[in-house]
């Protein structure tokens, strides 16, 4: 696992090694073991290395036999040995690393290279024969890759994290108003946008080819949904076999390796498969909470005892101030998934014992483990039964007058369900996912930022995404949109930044593309039955996971935010959010209203307050670090629809 960065100067300009070194210095946490650079009169490539495979070799940038092709690579290629075996008869290898396979395979297949790879990756290849750069990101976006064409004096630049790009002179920190609205709505900024104007994320399953005169963006992989009439038992065996293979492939390592263990099906099954192949006791790592309502340690202990793991755990207390700055430092953009807090604690503890950890990310998206999938199917049936005019009148009216109960059991909280049943699918999905929406978003945004939106609506973005997959079954539509938005924008960002903050590599067996493609072929009824999500996955894992874990409802990596905002985070919120400078983004009067309503104990606005706090913390750290203030940038917004 590593950090990469580089750029192509404008034609006639020469690269600057010191500039490249500064970019890479900001990625030391991703690669503390070594640094490497390649500069000629056309390109600059930089690399920070976290040594995992071939510890003595494999330094980057790495070239082919004549040096005209150079690569910098972040990730792991799990099938590199098979690929190398085929290439060895035609190419000379000088290392045992997976990186060298990329160079020689690119020589043979060009931009089709990522289609051959099983792994997680973001890489850049300089092709000196054609004076062009080829970049690619893995199918699901497990590894990040940012780029821009808009920095003066530079034709094109890229990096693993935004902080490396901001090291470039004349980097423009103008904030993208639409991204602020997206963030407050979703708690993250969906690909390909970033918080800054003119900086983008390369999308999952995409490649980008850049020369001095042109660029070509290509999607090399996309989910291919179907509904093959497979026999259920055969499908269970296929999933089980692929799962065992995926875990075994991800045990390749020349450094100590372990597993995150949450107490759910996904991580417990990984530990089970690891125990079958690991030569010694599997090292497992868990986080608990002093509040038992959020604690899963008892379930994690079931796997610990069954597989006799070498277990380590930590209980997180409400005093999280030490992690706030760490969170803001490493996420670079506003990011408000509060489970990043325990993920940081977990990563810090894990790195004290191992360098690589397997995790359970992806199973919920592939096999439909979230509650919103079963609710979405129910709503789809309602849409089939009741005409649109009836739903938009009767259900919408019911939602308007149904009282809002934040603290009663879920069965009494029908306001959201009535609302989503009155809406079409894209609107309903957005409603169920969003934090601030519609009137609430308008109320909390400052007048200046609303003008900058120029009519843009985060909801409209989700409508368009659903329209593009409207030919699919409703369950598949929800999966397809999650795979483009929530998985790469939230789940995988959370895991990558938290683990890399402590130079820890995280591997996700369930996001093996072979498992994904098998899951995409399954009939919807295999994945969701009634209110039970991940039905076939649970059946496949049942021989390895305790029945109590299989049958328990999904819990997620939750933290007691509502309580913290009334205790340990109260002063922090007041001092960081209720600042005059935050008026560039927010209506501070509306923020104060939300704060007081939460403090009354009658309402729970924890998600909204956390989003506001994360925006304020990001602004204080990343926006004003020696650059023009966001307020000064806002002054340039008049007459422009995209600048704050």
């Amino acid at each position: 696992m590593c950090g990469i960065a580089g750029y192509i100067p404008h034609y006639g300009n020469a690269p600057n090694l010191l500039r490249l070194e500064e970019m890479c210095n900001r990625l030391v946490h991703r690669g503390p073991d070594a640094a490497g650079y390649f500069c000629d009169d056309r390109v600059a490539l930089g690399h920070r290395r976290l040594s995992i495979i071939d510890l003595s070799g494999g330094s980057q940038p790495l070239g082919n036999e004549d040096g005209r092709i150079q690569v910098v690579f972040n990730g792991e290629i799990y099938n590199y040995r098979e690929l190398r075996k085929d290439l060895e008869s035609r190419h000379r290898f000088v290392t045992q690393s997976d990186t060298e396979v990329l160079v020689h395979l690119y020589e043979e297949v060009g931009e089709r290279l990522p289609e051959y790879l099983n792994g997680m990756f973001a890489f850049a290849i300089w092709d000196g024969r054609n004076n062009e750069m080829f970049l690619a990101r893995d199918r699901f976006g497990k590894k990040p890759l940012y780029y821009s064409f808009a920095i003066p004096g530079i034709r094109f630049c890229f990096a693993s994290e935004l902080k490396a790009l901001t090291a470039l002179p004349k980097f423009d920190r103008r904030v993208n108003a639409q991204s602020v609205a997206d963030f407050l709505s979703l708690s993250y900024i969906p690909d390909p946008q970033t918080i800054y104007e003119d900086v983008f994320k390369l999308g999952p399953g995409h490649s980008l080819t850049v020369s001095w005169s042109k660029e070509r963006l290509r999607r090399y992989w996309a989910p291919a949904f179907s509904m093959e009439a497979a026999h259920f038992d055969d499908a269970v065996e296929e999933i089980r076999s692929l799962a065992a293979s995926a875990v075994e492939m991800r045990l390749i390592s020349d450094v100590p390796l372990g597993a995150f263990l949450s107490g759910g099906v996904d991580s417990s099954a990984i530990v089970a498969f690891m125990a079958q192949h690991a030569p010694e006791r599997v090292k497992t790592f868990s986080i608990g909470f002093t509040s038992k309502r959020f604690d899963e340690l008892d379930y994690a202990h079931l796997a610990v005892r069954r597989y006799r793991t070498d277990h380590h755990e930590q209980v997180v207390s409400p005093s999280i101030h030490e992690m706030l700055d760490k969170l803001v430092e490493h996420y670079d953009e506003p990011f408000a998934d509060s489970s990043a807090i325990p993920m940081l604690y977990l990563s810090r503890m894990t790195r004290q014992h191992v360098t690589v950890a397997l995790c359970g990310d992806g199973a919920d998206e592939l096999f439909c483990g979230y509650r919103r999938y079963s609710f979405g199917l129910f709503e789809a049936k309602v849409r089939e039964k009741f005409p649109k005019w009836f739903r938009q009148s009767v259900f919408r009216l019911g939602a308007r007058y149904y009282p809002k109960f934040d603290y009663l059991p879920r069965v009494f909280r029908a306001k959201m369900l009535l609302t989503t049943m009155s809406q079409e699918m894209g609107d309903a999905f957005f409603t169920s996912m969003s934090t601030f929406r519609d009137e609430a978003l308008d109320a909390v945004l400052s007048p200046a930022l609303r003008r900058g939106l120029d009519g843009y609506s985060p909801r409209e973005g989700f409508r368009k995404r659903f329209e593009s997959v409207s030919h699919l079954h409703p369950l598949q539509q929800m999966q397809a949109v999650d795979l483009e938005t929530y998985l790469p924008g939230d789940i995988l960002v959370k895991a990558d930044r938290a683990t890399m903050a402590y130079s820890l590599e995280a591997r996700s067996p369930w996001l093996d593309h072979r498992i994904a493609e098998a899951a995409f072929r399954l009939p919807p009824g295999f994945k969701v039955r009634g209110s039970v999500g991940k039905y076939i996955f649970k059946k496949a894992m049942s021989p390895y996971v305790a029945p109590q874990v299989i049958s328990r409802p999904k819990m997620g990596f939750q933290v007691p935010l509502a309580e913290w905002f009334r205790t340990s985070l109260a002063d922090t919120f007041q001092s960081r959010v209720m600042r005059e400078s935050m008026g560039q983004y927010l209506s501070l009067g509306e923020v104060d209203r939300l704060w007081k309503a939460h403090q009354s104990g009658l309402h729970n606005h924890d998600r909204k307050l956390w989003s506001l706090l994360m925006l304020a913390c990001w602004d204080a750290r990343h926006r004003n670090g020696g650059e023009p203030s966001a307020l000064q940038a806002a002054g340039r917004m008049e007459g422009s629809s995209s600048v704050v």
Side-chain angles (χ1 to χ4, degrees), residues 278-571:
E280 54 189 25
R281 292 171 64 196
V282 176
K283 292 180 171 63
T284 54
F285 305 90
S286 302
I287 287 291
F289 294 93
T290 52
S291 173
K292 282 298 180 184
R293 188 160 61 95
F294 300 92
D295 191 83
E296 295 185 275
L297 288 179
D298 288 346
Y299 292 99
H301 293 162
L302 294 172
V304 170
R305 289 192 292 268
R306 180 171 179 176
Y307 296 105
R308 301 174 183 267
T309 71
D310 178 7
H311 187 62
H312 308 265
E313 62 186 44
Q314 178 183 353
V315 175
V316 177
S317 70
S319 181
I320 62 163
H321 297 88
E322 62 174 317
M323 279 301 178
L324 272 182
D325 290 336
K326 192 81 172 175
L327 192 158
V328 178
E329 173 189 354
H330 285 283
Y331 282 80
D332 282 351
E333 299 184 272
F335 184 78
D337 183 338
S338 59
S339 60
I341 299 168
M343 181 62 82
L344 282 165
Y345 278 107
L346 179 61
S347 299
R348 183 176 67 179
M349 174 183 63
T350 302
R351 186 60 176 91
Q352 295 169 5
H353 303 274
V354 300
T355 311
V356 178
L358 274 63
C359 64
D361 290 341
D364 287 310
E365 288 79 10
L366 298 185
F367 295 98
C368 305
Y370 299 122
R371 292 189 186 97
R372 61 177 175 268
Y373 291 129
S374 56
F375 276 108
L377 284 179
F378 172 75
E379 292 161 5
K381 293 176 182 177
V382 170
R383 293 185 192 101
E384 290 178 359
K385 188 171 183 179
F386 297 98
K388 185 176 180 179
W389 67 265
F390 179 88
R391 291 185 290 105
Q392 291 191 340
S393 56
V394 176
F395 292 148
R396 183 178 294 173
L397 189 67
R400 180 180 301 172
Y401 292 105
Y402 194 91
K404 190 174 189 297
F405 299 116
D406 288 337
Y407 292 103
L408 289 180
R410 188 175 297 273
V411 69
F412 294 107
R413 288 182 272 167
K415 191 178 187 73
M416 175 67 74
L417 182 59
L418 288 168
T419 300
T420 53
M421 286 193 303
S422 73
Q423 298 172 332
E424 296 308 296
M425 192 159 192
D427 284 298
F429 197 77
F430 175 81
T431 297
S432 68
M433 292 286 289
S434 55
T435 303
F436 287 95
R437 67 184 76 93
D438 305 325
E439 294 85 357
L441 180 62
D442 286 342
V444 81
L445 292 178
S446 70
L449 201 141
R450 286 202 304 272
R451 288 194 298 271
L453 290 176
D454 195 25
Y456 171 78
S457 165
R459 180 183 291 279
E460 184 62 30
F462 265 70
R463 284 178 184 154
K464 291 179 179 178
R465 291 182 189 273
F466 271 90
E467 287 171 4
S468 69
V469 293
S470 59
H471 60 286
L472 298 176
H473 184 278
L475 187 67
Q476 296 170 336
Q477 291 182 45
M478 290 184 281
Q479 285 186 273
V481 172
D482 262 346
L483 290 167
E484 284 192 349
T485 56
Y486 183 66
L487 180 66
D490 186 316
I491 297 298
L492 297 179
V493 168
K494 174 182 65 180
D496 176 80
R497 304 307 191 277
T499 53
M500 284 286 91
Y502 295 100
S503 306
L504 175 72
E505 177 177 300
R507 299 177 178 179
S508 309
W510 307 139
L511 287 176
D512 187 303
H513 72 276
R514 299 170 301 162
I515 296 178
E517 289 163 359
F520 297 153
R521 295 192 298 268
L522 296 175
F526 284 15
K527 301 177 209 174
V528 178
R529 291 201 178 177
S531 61
V532 179
K534 279 195 301 200
Y535 183 79
I536 191 170
F537 184 78
K538 291 176 179 178
K539 286 291 184 183
M541 300 303 116
S542 60
Y544 313 106
V545 180
Q548 305 96 303
V549 174
I550 292 284
S551 61
R552 67 186 287 244
K554 179 173 177 58
M555 182 172 179
F557 218 175
Q558 301 178 65
V559 294
L561 279 180
E563 172 191 335
W564 289 355
F565 275 121
R566 296 191 183 100
T567 54
S568 59
L569 277 179
D571 291 341

Side-chain angles (χ1 to χ4, degrees), residues 17 20 26 83 106 170 201 230 239 255 360 368 382 387 390 437 455 593 609:
L17 179 59
L20 179 65
R26 298 195 179 191
L83 294 171
Y106 174 79
K170 300 181 181 179
K201 303 160 189 160
I239 297 301
V255 294
C368 305
V382 170
F390 179 88
R437 67 184 76 93
R593 187 193 69 80
L609 298 179

Side-chain angles (χ1 to χ4, degrees), residues 218-240:
R218 170 178 174 256
R219 187 166 190 175
Y220 68 84
W221 185 87
F225 289 96
S226 62
M227 287 192 281
E228 295 181 6
H231 189 279
F232 183 81
D233 291 340
D234 292 340
V236 166
E237 287 302 319
E238 181 184 21
I239 297 301
R240 190 177 290 153

Side-chain angles (χ1 to χ4, degrees), residues 83-372:
L83 294 171
R84 175 176 175 140
K85 186 176 181 180
D86 177 63
L87 292 165
E88 280 179 328
S89 63
R90 302 182 299 280
H91 297 272
R92 177 172 56 87
F93 282 78
V94 297
T95 77
Q96 296 300 314
S97 70
D98 53 349
T99 307
E100 195 169 4
V101 167
L102 299 178
V103 174
H104 298 309
L105 190 55
Y106 174 79
E107 290 182 275
E108 298 201 353
V109 303
E111 68 176 14
R112 292 175 54 218
L113 166 61
E115 300 170 30
Y116 289 78
L117 307 178
N118 184 335
M120 54 180 179
F121 52 85
F123 59 79
I125 294 177
W126 171 249
D127 188 341
R129 304 167 305 182
N130 303 312
N131 289 329
E132 63 182 24
M133 185 94 76
F134 176 74
L135 303 97
R137 192 176 178 204
D138 64 67
R139 294 168 178 84
F140 296 101
K142 286 174 275 190
K143 294 293 101 186
L145 194 56
Y146 294 84
Y147 68 92
S148 178
F149 291 96
I151 296 177
I154 293 176
R155 159 65 178 142
F156 171 78
C157 59
F158 70 90
S160 294
E161 296 182 12
L162 270 174
K163 59 172 62 68
L165 295 183
T166 63
L168 291 168
K170 300 181 181 179
F171 180 88
D172 192 342
R173 292 177 183 255
R174 287 179 300 159
V175 170
N176 186 323
Q178 295 182 4
S179 294
V180 175
D182 282 336
F183 163 71
L184 290 175
S185 296
L186 300 169
S187 300
Y188 63 93
I189 299 171
D191 295 9
Q193 303 301 320
T194 73
I195 190 62
Y196 296 119
E197 287 283 354
D198 301 321
V199 181
F200 303 94
K201 303 160 189 160
L202 186 62
H206 281 74
S207 66
L208 176 64
T209 304
V210 181
S211 68
W212 278 312
S213 59
K214 61 183 179 180
E215 56 269 356
R216 180 174 68 258
L217 183 66
R218 170 178 174 256
R219 187 166 190 175
Y220 68 84
W221 185 87
F225 289 96
S226 62
M227 287 192 281
E228 295 181 6
H231 189 279
F232 183 81
D233 291 340
D234 292 340
V236 166
E237 287 302 319
E238 181 184 21
I239 297 301
R240 190 177 290 153
S241 175
L242 289 173
S245 172
V247 172
E248 184 178 11
M249 289 180 76
R250 283 156 182 80
L251 298 181
I252 300 172
S253 177
D254 294 330
V255 294
L257 180 147
F260 294 156
L261 180 58
S262 69
V265 176
D266 309 340
S267 61
S268 297
I270 287 173
V271 170
F273 287 120
M274 289 178 71
Q276 295 178 10
H277 300 288
E280 54 189 25
R281 292 171 64 196
V282 176
K283 292 180 171 63
T284 54
F285 305 90
S286 302
I287 287 291
F289 294 93
T290 52
S291 173
K292 282 298 180 184
R293 188 160 61 95
F294 300 92
D295 191 83
E296 295 185 275
L297 288 179
D298 288 346
Y299 292 99
H301 293 162
L302 294 172
V304 170
R305 289 192 292 268
R306 180 171 179 176
Y307 296 105
R308 301 174 183 267
T309 71
D310 178 7
H311 187 62
H312 308 265
E313 62 186 44
Q314 178 183 353
V315 175
V316 177
S317 70
S319 181
I320 62 163
H321 297 88
E322 62 174 317
M323 279 301 178
L324 272 182
D325 290 336
K326 192 81 172 175
L327 192 158
V328 178
E329 173 189 354
H330 285 283
Y331 282 80
D332 282 351
E333 299 184 272
F335 184 78
D337 183 338
S338 59
S339 60
I341 299 168
M343 181 62 82
L344 282 165
Y345 278 107
L346 179 61
S347 299
R348 183 176 67 179
M349 174 183 63
T350 302
R351 186 60 176 91
Q352 295 169 5
H353 303 274
V354 300
T355 311
V356 178
L358 274 63
C359 64
D361 290 341
D364 287 310
E365 288 79 10
L366 298 185
F367 295 98
C368 305
Y370 299 122
R371 292 189 186 97
R372 61 177 175 268

